[in-house]
Amino acid sequence: MKLNVEKSALAAVCTSVGLLLAGCGGNGSDLLPDVPTSINDLPGIGGDDDNNTGEISAKYERASWPRFHVVGTGSQTFGALDTLDQLDDGAVVDIDGNVLTDSLTTTRSVREIAGDKHFAMGRWHSGAATNSSGIHQLDGKDGRAFHYLVFNVLPSMPASGTFACTPSALTAPSRASGASAAYGSATGNMTLSFGADGATVNGSIDVSASSSGSLAINTIVRDRPGTVAITDNYLGSSYGAAVQIAEDSPGAYAIVGTYRALLNDGSNYIGAFRFKCS
């Protein structure tokens, strides 16, 4: 699977391989009862998504160019969307082999659930998150989290137009490193302009926890479906963002992505964002 990546306004191309999850399982015995494998299998304990927060107006509907982002404490991935499991309350628990389940000690929970037919967003707050690097235990206390975003990228961009953009969804930033609070809050502002070079994005995301900081996002997303603009040193797990232009309602567009922000005390926070431009 080939992914186009833009480094600020300079063209750079990288190949992203979708994360694969090796499934495991077996057939139950006719003689012995099945052994519980998670807290949800134990009578009277767990239950699907008891602690989920947020809401959607409609479930995500896959279009011609479905894409995803997932960022965790030490990883980030984005690419074409193949598999998706979205629950009735809007929480997404499987994105191309990035999977959230219960653990034996913690019921899975998804926070800041948001979405409509154009996108789905949230933060895996507790449970067991599995990706290509293994199983990551999330206790919902120490800042370990995975932020996800599913959306439909623009098949093509208009030749011109300038739009003001307001936040339509932001996950609560979680601490990736440092000594600040485990979780914080985020806001921001963006502008979007279409032209011969593609889509010019200018703005910032402001993060507050025990400390605060602002991440500037100034980049160009080229007019090629699937193109991702990478700012600063996002891929180096320092600070920056992965930015794409997505579909919205007729006459409107969306700036979407994931980010790492550096706060004034040196702490590093991760999150997902979506700005509606109209």
Side-chain angles (χ1 to χ4, degrees), residues 115-169:
D116 57 27
K117 68 178 184 178
H118 302 292
F119 79 103
M121 181 189 292
R123 173 173 58 88
W124 291 351
H125 181 71
S126 64
T130 302
N131 61 17
S132 62
S133 64
I135 300 176
H136 311 270
Q137 300 296 330
L138 312 178
D139 64 9
K141 299 176 182 179
D142 63 5
R144 285 176 294 172
F146 285 80
H147 303 248
Y148 68 83
L149 176 63
V150 177
F151 57 96
N152 297 314
V153 77
L154 280 184
S156 62
M157 297 181 186
S160 62
T162 299
F163 302 85
C165 310
T166 56
S168 65

mmCIF file of all heavy atoms in Angstrom, residues 115-169:
data_model
loop_
_atom_site.group_PDB
_atom_site.id
_atom_site.type_symbol
_atom_site.label_atom_id
_atom_site.label_comp_id
_atom_site.label_asym_id
_atom_site.label_seq_id
_atom_site.Cartn_x
_atom_site.Cartn_y
_atom_site.Cartn_z
ATOM 1 N N GLY A 115 -18.415 12.003 15.690
ATOM 2 C CA GLY A 115 -18.499 11.578 14.307
ATOM 3 C C GLY A 115 -19.854 11.791 13.677
ATOM 4 O O GLY A 115 -20.852 12.088 14.343
ATOM 5 N N ASP A 116 -19.880 11.643 12.382
ATOM 6 C CA ASP A 116 -21.085 11.611 11.576
ATOM 7 C C ASP A 116 -20.772 10.737 10.364
ATOM 8 O O ASP A 116 -19.812 9.959 10.411
ATOM 9 C CB ASP A 116 -21.547 13.019 11.185
ATOM 10 C CG ASP A 116 -20.478 13.822 10.444
ATOM 11 O OD1 ASP A 116 -19.599 13.208 9.779
ATOM 12 O OD2 ASP A 116 -20.508 15.065 10.494
ATOM 13 N N LYS A 117 -21.518 10.849 9.291
ATOM 14 C CA LYS A 117 -21.264 9.960 8.168
ATOM 15 C C LYS A 117 -19.933 10.242 7.479
ATOM 16 O O LYS A 117 -19.432 9.406 6.734
ATOM 17 C CB LYS A 117 -22.394 10.052 7.157
ATOM 18 C CG LYS A 117 -22.491 11.369 6.413
ATOM 19 C CD LYS A 117 -23.620 11.313 5.402
ATOM 20 C CE LYS A 117 -23.698 12.576 4.567
ATOM 21 N NZ LYS A 117 -24.775 12.486 3.552
ATOM 22 N N HIS A 118 -19.312 11.412 7.781
ATOM 23 C CA HIS A 118 -18.055 11.772 7.137
ATOM 24 C C HIS A 118 -16.818 11.321 7.904
ATOM 25 O O HIS A 118 -15.734 11.226 7.323
ATOM 26 C CB HIS A 118 -17.981 13.295 6.942
ATOM 27 C CG HIS A 118 -19.109 13.856 6.138
ATOM 28 N ND1 HIS A 118 -19.274 13.606 4.805
ATOM 29 C CD2 HIS A 118 -20.144 14.649 6.508
ATOM 30 C CE1 HIS A 118 -20.346 14.233 4.357
ATOM 31 N NE2 HIS A 118 -20.907 14.863 5.366
ATOM 32 N N PHE A 119 -16.937 11.081 9.228
ATOM 33 C CA PHE A 119 -15.743 10.753 10.024
ATOM 34 C C PHE A 119 -16.127 10.060 11.313
ATOM 35 O O PHE A 119 -17.289 10.056 11.734
ATOM 36 C CB PHE A 119 -14.942 12.020 10.337
ATOM 37 C CG PHE A 119 -15.511 12.852 11.474
ATOM 38 C CD1 PHE A 119 -14.925 12.825 12.732
ATOM 39 C CD2 PHE A 119 -16.630 13.651 11.284
ATOM 40 C CE1 PHE A 119 -15.432 13.580 13.775
ATOM 41 C CE2 PHE A 119 -17.148 14.418 12.316
ATOM 42 C CZ PHE A 119 -16.546 14.386 13.568
ATOM 43 N N ALA A 120 -15.116 9.472 11.956
ATOM 44 C CA ALA A 120 -15.239 8.918 13.302
ATOM 45 C C ALA A 120 -13.944 9.195 14.041
ATOM 46 O O ALA A 120 -12.855 9.072 13.475
ATOM 47 C CB ALA A 120 -15.516 7.417 13.259
ATOM 48 N N MET A 121 -14.056 9.599 15.305
ATOM 49 C CA MET A 121 -12.872 9.975 16.086
ATOM 50 C C MET A 121 -13.060 9.550 17.536
ATOM 51 O O MET A 121 -14.184 9.438 18.023
ATOM 52 C CB MET A 121 -12.662 11.501 16.020
ATOM 53 C CG MET A 121 -11.435 11.992 16.778
ATOM 54 S SD MET A 121 -11.361 13.807 16.885
ATOM 55 C CE MET A 121 -11.064 14.223 15.179
ATOM 56 N N GLY A 122 -11.951 9.306 18.222
ATOM 57 C CA GLY A 122 -12.013 9.001 19.634
ATOM 58 C C GLY A 122 -10.642 8.707 20.202
ATOM 59 O O GLY A 122 -9.626 8.767 19.500
ATOM 60 N N ARG A 123 -10.619 8.408 21.498
ATOM 61 C CA ARG A 123 -9.362 8.096 22.196
ATOM 62 C C ARG A 123 -9.548 6.799 22.981
ATOM 63 O O ARG A 123 -10.445 6.690 23.796
ATOM 64 C CB ARG A 123 -8.997 9.236 23.152
ATOM 65 C CG ARG A 123 -7.799 8.927 24.050
ATOM 66 C CD ARG A 123 -7.377 10.157 24.852
ATOM 67 N NE ARG A 123 -8.448 10.676 25.677
ATOM 68 C CZ ARG A 123 -8.732 10.280 26.919
ATOM 69 N NH1 ARG A 123 -8.011 9.307 27.486
ATOM 70 N NH2 ARG A 123 -9.726 10.816 27.596
ATOM 71 N N TRP A 124 -8.686 5.806 22.698
ATOM 72 C CA TRP A 124 -8.711 4.570 23.458
ATOM 73 C C TRP A 124 -8.111 4.855 24.826
ATOM 74 O O TRP A 124 -6.907 5.078 24.970
ATOM 75 C CB TRP A 124 -7.930 3.490 22.726
ATOM 76 C CG TRP A 124 -8.607 3.042 21.453
ATOM 77 C CD1 TRP A 124 -9.851 3.378 21.027
ATOM 78 C CD2 TRP A 124 -8.061 2.170 20.459
ATOM 79 N NE1 TRP A 124 -10.135 2.768 19.836
ATOM 80 C CE2 TRP A 124 -9.056 2.024 19.451
ATOM 81 C CE3 TRP A 124 -6.847 1.503 20.317
ATOM 82 C CZ2 TRP A 124 -8.854 1.232 18.330
ATOM 83 C CZ3 TRP A 124 -6.650 0.713 19.192
ATOM 84 C CH2 TRP A 124 -7.640 0.577 18.207
ATOM 85 N N HIS A 125 -8.969 4.821 25.840
ATOM 86 C CA HIS A 125 -8.607 5.284 27.181
ATOM 87 C C HIS A 125 -8.154 4.151 28.091
ATOM 88 O O HIS A 125 -7.216 4.308 28.867
ATOM 89 C CB HIS A 125 -9.825 5.999 27.791
ATOM 90 C CG HIS A 125 -9.616 6.544 29.157
ATOM 91 N ND1 HIS A 125 -8.820 7.640 29.409
ATOM 92 C CD2 HIS A 125 -10.113 6.146 30.376
ATOM 93 C CE1 HIS A 125 -8.838 7.907 30.704
ATOM 94 N NE2 HIS A 125 -9.598 7.018 31.317
ATOM 95 N N SER A 126 -8.833 3.006 28.009
ATOM 96 C CA SER A 126 -8.453 1.862 28.849
ATOM 97 C C SER A 126 -8.751 0.566 28.105
ATOM 98 O O SER A 126 -9.534 0.534 27.161
ATOM 99 C CB SER A 126 -9.199 1.891 30.187
ATOM 100 O OG SER A 126 -10.597 1.742 29.990
ATOM 101 N N GLY A 127 -8.103 -0.496 28.548
ATOM 102 C CA GLY A 127 -8.232 -1.796 27.906
ATOM 103 C C GLY A 127 -6.890 -2.266 27.382
ATOM 104 O O GLY A 127 -5.828 -1.849 27.856
ATOM 105 N N ALA A 128 -6.927 -3.145 26.394
ATOM 106 C CA ALA A 128 -5.707 -3.666 25.768
ATOM 107 C C ALA A 128 -5.710 -3.265 24.300
ATOM 108 O O ALA A 128 -6.577 -3.680 23.539
ATOM 109 C CB ALA A 128 -5.643 -5.186 25.912
ATOM 110 N N ALA A 129 -4.747 -2.437 23.916
ATOM 111 C CA ALA A 129 -4.610 -1.990 22.528
ATOM 112 C C ALA A 129 -3.554 -2.841 21.845
ATOM 113 O O ALA A 129 -2.406 -2.916 22.308
ATOM 114 C CB ALA A 129 -4.228 -0.518 22.471
ATOM 115 N N THR A 130 -3.923 -3.487 20.754
ATOM 116 C CA THR A 130 -3.012 -4.368 20.034
ATOM 117 C C THR A 130 -2.691 -3.774 18.673
ATOM 118 O O THR A 130 -3.584 -3.355 17.945
ATOM 119 C CB THR A 130 -3.639 -5.763 19.841
ATOM 120 O OG1 THR A 130 -3.971 -6.315 21.118
ATOM 121 C CG2 THR A 130 -2.669 -6.697 19.137
ATOM 122 N N ASN A 131 -1.397 -3.712 18.358
ATOM 123 C CA ASN A 131 -0.965 -3.317 17.016
ATOM 124 C C ASN A 131 0.242 -4.170 16.621
ATOM 125 O O ASN A 131 0.539 -5.165 17.274
ATOM 126 C CB ASN A 131 -0.679 -1.814 16.923
ATOM 127 C CG ASN A 131 0.439 -1.361 17.849
ATOM 128 O OD1 ASN A 131 1.224 -2.170 18.351
ATOM 129 N ND2 ASN A 131 0.518 -0.062 18.099
ATOM 130 N N SER A 132 0.949 -3.775 15.577
ATOM 131 C CA SER A 132 2.035 -4.608 15.070
ATOM 132 C C SER A 132 3.186 -4.763 16.056
ATOM 133 O O SER A 132 3.983 -5.689 15.940
ATOM 134 C CB SER A 132 2.567 -4.027 13.754
ATOM 135 O OG SER A 132 3.087 -2.733 13.966
ATOM 136 N N SER A 133 3.287 -3.862 17.023
ATOM 137 C CA SER A 133 4.388 -3.951 17.983
ATOM 138 C C SER A 133 4.023 -4.729 19.246
ATOM 139 O O SER A 133 4.861 -4.911 20.122
ATOM 140 C CB SER A 133 4.884 -2.552 18.365
ATOM 141 O OG SER A 133 3.868 -1.822 19.039
ATOM 142 N N GLY A 134 2.770 -5.165 19.359
ATOM 143 C CA GLY A 134 2.399 -5.965 20.514
ATOM 144 C C GLY A 134 1.121 -5.501 21.169
ATOM 145 O O GLY A 134 0.284 -4.830 20.556
ATOM 146 N N ILE A 135 0.956 -5.867 22.431
ATOM 147 C CA ILE A 135 -0.223 -5.524 23.224
ATOM 148 C C ILE A 135 0.162 -4.453 24.230
ATOM 149 O O ILE A 135 1.147 -4.589 24.954
ATOM 150 C CB ILE A 135 -0.792 -6.752 23.946
ATOM 151 C CG1 ILE A 135 -1.189 -7.828 22.933
ATOM 152 C CG2 ILE A 135 -1.996 -6.368 24.800
ATOM 153 C CD1 ILE A 135 -1.669 -9.118 23.563
ATOM 154 N N HIS A 136 -0.619 -3.375 24.282
ATOM 155 C CA HIS A 136 -0.326 -2.234 25.149
ATOM 156 C C HIS A 136 -1.461 -2.087 26.160
ATOM 157 O O HIS A 136 -2.607 -1.860 25.785
ATOM 158 C CB HIS A 136 -0.182 -0.963 24.312
ATOM 159 C CG HIS A 136 0.735 -1.129 23.138
ATOM 160 N ND1 HIS A 136 2.096 -0.880 23.207
ATOM 161 C CD2 HIS A 136 0.490 -1.537 21.861
ATOM 162 C CE1 HIS A 136 2.639 -1.124 22.030
ATOM 163 N NE2 HIS A 136 1.698 -1.525 21.199
ATOM 164 N N GLN A 137 -1.123 -2.227 27.433
ATOM 165 C CA GLN A 137 -2.122 -2.128 28.491
ATOM 166 C C GLN A 137 -2.396 -0.664 28.810
ATOM 167 O O GLN A 137 -1.489 0.102 29.127
ATOM 168 C CB GLN A 137 -1.629 -2.862 29.741
ATOM 169 C CG GLN A 137 -1.345 -4.337 29.540
ATOM 170 C CD GLN A 137 -2.586 -5.137 29.183
ATOM 171 O OE1 GLN A 137 -3.701 -4.797 29.582
ATOM 172 N NE2 GLN A 137 -2.403 -6.222 28.433
ATOM 173 N N LEU A 138 -3.664 -0.286 28.738
ATOM 174 C CA LEU A 138 -4.080 1.080 29.022
ATOM 175 C C LEU A 138 -4.923 1.070 30.293
ATOM 176 O O LEU A 138 -5.981 0.443 30.336
ATOM 177 C CB LEU A 138 -4.907 1.653 27.860
ATOM 178 C CG LEU A 138 -4.331 1.480 26.445
ATOM 179 C CD1 LEU A 138 -5.300 2.056 25.414
ATOM 180 C CD2 LEU A 138 -2.966 2.136 26.332
ATOM 181 N N ASP A 139 -4.454 1.770 31.330
ATOM 182 C CA ASP A 139 -5.194 1.747 32.591
ATOM 183 C C ASP A 139 -6.080 2.977 32.774
ATOM 184 O O ASP A 139 -6.814 3.086 33.760
ATOM 185 C CB ASP A 139 -4.249 1.588 33.782
ATOM 186 C CG ASP A 139 -3.286 2.759 33.958
ATOM 187 O OD1 ASP A 139 -3.442 3.792 33.262
ATOM 188 O OD2 ASP A 139 -2.364 2.639 34.789
ATOM 189 N N GLY A 140 -6.024 3.924 31.844
ATOM 190 C CA GLY A 140 -6.844 5.116 31.957
ATOM 191 C C GLY A 140 -6.386 6.088 33.021
ATOM 192 O O GLY A 140 -7.140 6.994 33.393
ATOM 193 N N LYS A 141 -5.153 5.938 33.501
ATOM 194 C CA LYS A 141 -4.671 6.789 34.590
ATOM 195 C C LYS A 141 -3.347 7.484 34.289
ATOM 196 O O LYS A 141 -3.135 8.609 34.722
ATOM 197 C CB LYS A 141 -4.514 5.955 35.871
ATOM 198 C CG LYS A 141 -5.791 5.319 36.360
ATOM 199 C CD LYS A 141 -5.528 4.428 37.565
ATOM 200 C CE LYS A 141 -6.806 3.740 38.032
ATOM 201 N NZ LYS A 141 -6.555 2.841 39.201
ATOM 202 N N ASP A 142 -2.450 6.811 33.563
ATOM 203 C CA ASP A 142 -1.080 7.313 33.453
ATOM 204 C C ASP A 142 -0.783 8.033 32.142
ATOM 205 O O ASP A 142 0.363 8.358 31.848
ATOM 206 C CB ASP A 142 -0.080 6.176 33.655
ATOM 207 C CG ASP A 142 -0.193 5.086 32.589
ATOM 208 O OD1 ASP A 142 -0.989 5.262 31.636
ATOM 209 O OD2 ASP A 142 0.498 4.062 32.712
ATOM 210 N N GLY A 143 -1.800 8.269 31.316
ATOM 211 C CA GLY A 143 -1.584 8.997 30.073
ATOM 212 C C GLY A 143 -1.383 8.125 28.854
ATOM 213 O O GLY A 143 -1.425 8.632 27.731
ATOM 214 N N ARG A 144 -1.159 6.822 29.043
ATOM 215 C CA ARG A 144 -1.044 5.947 27.876
ATOM 216 C C ARG A 144 -2.393 5.892 27.167
ATOM 217 O O ARG A 144 -3.422 5.622 27.797
ATOM 218 C CB ARG A 144 -0.612 4.553 28.296
ATOM 219 C CG ARG A 144 0.859 4.445 28.664
ATOM 220 C CD ARG A 144 1.194 3.061 29.165
ATOM 221 N NE ARG A 144 0.519 2.774 30.430
ATOM 222 C CZ ARG A 144 0.506 1.594 31.027
ATOM 223 N NH1 ARG A 144 1.110 0.569 30.459
ATOM 224 N NH2 ARG A 144 -0.117 1.432 32.173
ATOM 225 N N ALA A 145 -2.393 6.153 25.862
ATOM 226 C CA ALA A 145 -3.642 6.186 25.103
ATOM 227 C C ALA A 145 -3.328 6.096 23.625
ATOM 228 O O ALA A 145 -2.191 6.335 23.193
ATOM 229 C CB ALA A 145 -4.420 7.468 25.405
ATOM 230 N N PHE A 146 -4.342 5.741 22.851
ATOM 231 C CA PHE A 146 -4.262 5.774 21.397
ATOM 232 C C PHE A 146 -5.409 6.640 20.876
ATOM 233 O O PHE A 146 -6.559 6.446 21.269
ATOM 234 C CB PHE A 146 -4.362 4.363 20.803
ATOM 235 C CG PHE A 146 -3.120 3.545 20.949
ATOM 236 C CD1 PHE A 146 -2.829 2.907 22.149
ATOM 237 C CD2 PHE A 146 -2.228 3.409 19.894
ATOM 238 C CE1 PHE A 146 -1.678 2.147 22.302
ATOM 239 C CE2 PHE A 146 -1.069 2.656 20.029
ATOM 240 C CZ PHE A 146 -0.794 2.025 21.239
ATOM 241 N N HIS A 147 -5.071 7.593 19.997
ATOM 242 C CA HIS A 147 -6.059 8.479 19.404
ATOM 243 C C HIS A 147 -6.265 8.060 17.954
ATOM 244 O O HIS A 147 -5.294 7.816 17.229
ATOM 245 C CB HIS A 147 -5.576 9.927 19.455
ATOM 246 C CG HIS A 147 -5.252 10.411 20.837
ATOM 247 N ND1 HIS A 147 -5.998 11.370 21.487
ATOM 248 C CD2 HIS A 147 -4.248 10.069 21.697
ATOM 249 C CE1 HIS A 147 -5.474 11.607 22.683
ATOM 250 N NE2 HIS A 147 -4.411 10.814 22.834
ATOM 251 N N TYR A 148 -7.516 7.988 17.529
ATOM 252 C CA TYR A 148 -7.787 7.528 16.166
ATOM 253 C C TYR A 148 -8.699 8.503 15.422
ATOM 254 O O TYR A 148 -9.451 9.279 16.024
ATOM 255 C CB TYR A 148 -8.435 6.138 16.181
ATOM 256 C CG TYR A 148 -9.844 6.105 16.755
ATOM 257 C CD1 TYR A 148 -10.957 6.438 15.968
ATOM 258 C CD2 TYR A 148 -10.068 5.737 18.076
ATOM 259 C CE1 TYR A 148 -12.238 6.424 16.485
ATOM 260 C CE2 TYR A 148 -11.354 5.712 18.601
ATOM 261 C CZ TYR A 148 -12.429 6.054 17.802
ATOM 262 O OH TYR A 148 -13.698 6.037 18.322
ATOM 263 N N LEU A 149 -8.624 8.414 14.117
ATOM 264 C CA LEU A 149 -9.430 9.243 13.229
ATOM 265 C C LEU A 149 -9.670 8.471 11.944
ATOM 266 O O LEU A 149 -8.726 7.950 11.341
ATOM 267 C CB LEU A 149 -8.689 10.553 12.929
ATOM 268 C CG LEU A 149 -9.308 11.526 11.953
ATOM 269 C CD1 LEU A 149 -10.642 12.048 12.469
ATOM 270 C CD2 LEU A 149 -8.358 12.690 11.707
ATOM 271 N N VAL A 150 -10.930 8.354 11.539
ATOM 272 C CA VAL A 150 -11.323 7.700 10.297
ATOM 273 C C VAL A 150 -12.109 8.704 9.470
ATOM 274 O O VAL A 150 -12.983 9.402 10.001
ATOM 275 C CB VAL A 150 -12.186 6.451 10.582
ATOM 276 C CG1 VAL A 150 -12.656 5.821 9.288
ATOM 277 C CG2 VAL A 150 -11.413 5.441 11.414
ATOM 278 N N PHE A 151 -11.837 8.789 8.168
ATOM 279 C CA PHE A 151 -12.459 9.838 7.364
ATOM 280 C C PHE A 151 -12.364 9.481 5.884
ATOM 281 O O PHE A 151 -11.703 8.500 5.497
ATOM 282 C CB PHE A 151 -11.765 11.181 7.614
ATOM 283 C CG PHE A 151 -10.287 11.160 7.335
ATOM 284 C CD1 PHE A 151 -9.777 11.591 6.120
ATOM 285 C CD2 PHE A 151 -9.386 10.686 8.285
ATOM 286 C CE1 PHE A 151 -8.418 11.550 5.854
ATOM 287 C CE2 PHE A 151 -8.024 10.643 8.035
ATOM 288 C CZ PHE A 151 -7.532 11.079 6.805
ATOM 289 N N ASN A 152 -13.001 10.296 5.049
ATOM 290 C CA ASN A 152 -12.940 10.157 3.601
ATOM 291 C C ASN A 152 -12.160 11.330 3.025
ATOM 292 O O ASN A 152 -12.551 12.486 3.179
ATOM 293 C CB ASN A 152 -14.349 10.121 3.007
ATOM 294 C CG ASN A 152 -15.148 8.935 3.492
ATOM 295 O OD1 ASN A 152 -14.653 7.809 3.513
ATOM 296 N ND2 ASN A 152 -16.383 9.173 3.904
ATOM 297 N N VAL A 153 -11.042 11.031 2.394
ATOM 298 C CA VAL A 153 -10.208 12.084 1.836
ATOM 299 C C VAL A 153 -10.855 12.629 0.562
ATOM 300 O O VAL A 153 -11.649 11.954 -0.098
ATOM 301 C CB VAL A 153 -8.787 11.543 1.550
ATOM 302 C CG1 VAL A 153 -8.766 10.698 0.285
ATOM 303 C CG2 VAL A 153 -7.781 12.668 1.460
ATOM 304 N N LEU A 154 -10.545 13.888 0.208
ATOM 305 C CA LEU A 154 -11.070 14.479 -1.017
ATOM 306 C C LEU A 154 -10.506 13.764 -2.246
ATOM 307 O O LEU A 154 -9.296 13.605 -2.371
ATOM 308 C CB LEU A 154 -10.678 15.954 -1.108
ATOM 309 C CG LEU A 154 -11.485 16.984 -0.321
ATOM 310 C CD1 LEU A 154 -10.963 18.381 -0.655
ATOM 311 C CD2 LEU A 154 -12.963 16.883 -0.611
ATOM 312 N N PRO A 155 -11.359 13.346 -3.174
ATOM 313 C CA PRO A 155 -10.844 12.752 -4.414
ATOM 314 C C PRO A 155 -10.063 13.768 -5.245
ATOM 315 O O PRO A 155 -9.095 13.424 -5.915
ATOM 316 C CB PRO A 155 -12.110 12.298 -5.152
ATOM 317 C CG PRO A 155 -13.168 12.215 -4.104
ATOM 318 C CD PRO A 155 -12.823 13.279 -3.110
ATOM 319 N N SER A 156 -10.483 15.022 -5.191
ATOM 320 C CA SER A 156 -9.768 16.108 -5.872
ATOM 321 C C SER A 156 -10.114 17.412 -5.177
ATOM 322 O O SER A 156 -11.144 17.522 -4.494
ATOM 323 C CB SER A 156 -10.150 16.176 -7.358
ATOM 324 O OG SER A 156 -11.528 16.451 -7.498
ATOM 325 N N MET A 157 -9.254 18.411 -5.345
ATOM 326 C CA MET A 157 -9.439 19.691 -4.675
ATOM 327 C C MET A 157 -9.940 20.747 -5.646
ATOM 328 O O MET A 157 -9.613 20.715 -6.834
ATOM 329 C CB MET A 157 -8.117 20.145 -4.041
ATOM 330 C CG MET A 157 -7.598 19.223 -2.968
ATOM 331 S SD MET A 157 -6.062 19.840 -2.245
ATOM 332 C CE MET A 157 -5.620 18.465 -1.172
ATOM 333 N N PRO A 158 -10.718 21.705 -5.163
ATOM 334 C CA PRO A 158 -11.142 22.795 -6.031
ATOM 335 C C PRO A 158 -9.957 23.665 -6.434
ATOM 336 O O PRO A 158 -8.906 23.662 -5.778
ATOM 337 C CB PRO A 158 -12.137 23.572 -5.164
ATOM 338 C CG PRO A 158 -11.801 23.203 -3.765
ATOM 339 C CD PRO A 158 -11.275 21.814 -3.805
ATOM 340 N N ALA A 159 -10.123 24.415 -7.519
ATOM 341 C CA ALA A 159 -9.029 25.243 -8.028
ATOM 342 C C ALA A 159 -8.768 26.460 -7.155
ATOM 343 O O ALA A 159 -7.646 26.984 -7.130
ATOM 344 C CB ALA A 159 -9.343 25.685 -9.458
ATOM 345 N N SER A 160 -9.778 26.931 -6.429
ATOM 346 C CA SER A 160 -9.598 28.125 -5.607
ATOM 347 C C SER A 160 -10.619 28.127 -4.482
ATOM 348 O O SER A 160 -11.536 27.296 -4.449
ATOM 349 C CB SER A 160 -9.748 29.390 -6.460
ATOM 350 O OG SER A 160 -11.059 29.459 -7.014
ATOM 351 N N GLY A 161 -10.443 29.063 -3.562
ATOM 352 C CA GLY A 161 -11.365 29.202 -2.443
ATOM 353 C C GLY A 161 -10.621 29.321 -1.126
ATOM 354 O O GLY A 161 -9.602 28.663 -0.920
ATOM 355 N N THR A 162 -11.108 30.188 -0.246
ATOM 356 C CA THR A 162 -10.521 30.392 1.078
ATOM 357 C C THR A 162 -11.610 30.244 2.120
ATOM 358 O O THR A 162 -12.711 30.790 1.969
ATOM 359 C CB THR A 162 -9.875 31.784 1.182
ATOM 360 O OG1 THR A 162 -8.822 31.880 0.210
ATOM 361 C CG2 THR A 162 -9.282 32.007 2.570
ATOM 362 N N PHE A 163 -11.292 29.514 3.191
ATOM 363 C CA PHE A 163 -12.301 29.180 4.186
ATOM 364 C C PHE A 163 -11.733 29.374 5.592
ATOM 365 O O PHE A 163 -10.563 29.090 5.849
ATOM 366 C CB PHE A 163 -12.742 27.723 4.030
ATOM 367 C CG PHE A 163 -13.285 27.386 2.679
ATOM 368 C CD1 PHE A 163 -12.422 27.038 1.637
ATOM 369 C CD2 PHE A 163 -14.648 27.419 2.435
ATOM 370 C CE1 PHE A 163 -12.925 26.723 0.379
ATOM 371 C CE2 PHE A 163 -15.151 27.108 1.190
ATOM 372 C CZ PHE A 163 -14.300 26.764 0.158
ATOM 373 N N ALA A 164 -12.596 29.842 6.494
ATOM 374 C CA ALA A 164 -12.275 29.855 7.920
ATOM 375 C C ALA A 164 -12.730 28.530 8.508
ATOM 376 O O ALA A 164 -13.779 27.999 8.137
ATOM 377 C CB ALA A 164 -12.968 31.013 8.613
ATOM 378 N N CYS A 165 -11.942 27.997 9.431
ATOM 379 C CA CYS A 165 -12.215 26.653 9.962
ATOM 380 C C CYS A 165 -12.343 26.703 11.481
ATOM 381 O O CYS A 165 -11.558 27.369 12.156
ATOM 382 C CB CYS A 165 -11.092 25.696 9.574
ATOM 383 S SG CYS A 165 -10.669 25.725 7.809
ATOM 384 N N THR A 166 -13.319 25.992 11.987
ATOM 385 C CA THR A 166 -13.535 25.913 13.429
ATOM 386 C C THR A 166 -13.466 24.455 13.869
ATOM 387 O O THR A 166 -13.787 23.549 13.093
ATOM 388 C CB THR A 166 -14.899 26.491 13.813
ATOM 389 O OG1 THR A 166 -15.927 25.809 13.074
ATOM 390 C CG2 THR A 166 -14.957 27.978 13.483
ATOM 391 N N PRO A 167 -13.049 24.193 15.114
ATOM 392 C CA PRO A 167 -12.938 22.797 15.567
ATOM 393 C C PRO A 167 -14.297 22.099 15.554
ATOM 394 O O PRO A 167 -15.263 22.621 16.105
ATOM 395 C CB PRO A 167 -12.399 22.932 16.990
ATOM 396 C CG PRO A 167 -11.795 24.291 17.072
ATOM 397 C CD PRO A 167 -12.598 25.150 16.154
ATOM 398 N N SER A 168 -14.360 20.939 14.920
ATOM 399 C CA SER A 168 -15.573 20.131 15.008
ATOM 400 C C SER A 168 -15.369 18.962 15.954
ATOM 401 O O SER A 168 -16.340 18.424 16.490
ATOM 402 C CB SER A 168 -15.987 19.617 13.626
ATOM 403 O OG SER A 168 -15.027 18.726 13.097
ATOM 404 N N ALA A 169 -14.119 18.563 16.188
ATOM 405 C CA ALA A 169 -13.827 17.492 17.145
ATOM 406 C C ALA A 169 -12.342 17.505 17.476
ATOM 407 O O ALA A 169 -11.503 17.645 16.592
ATOM 408 C CB ALA A 169 -14.228 16.132 16.592
#
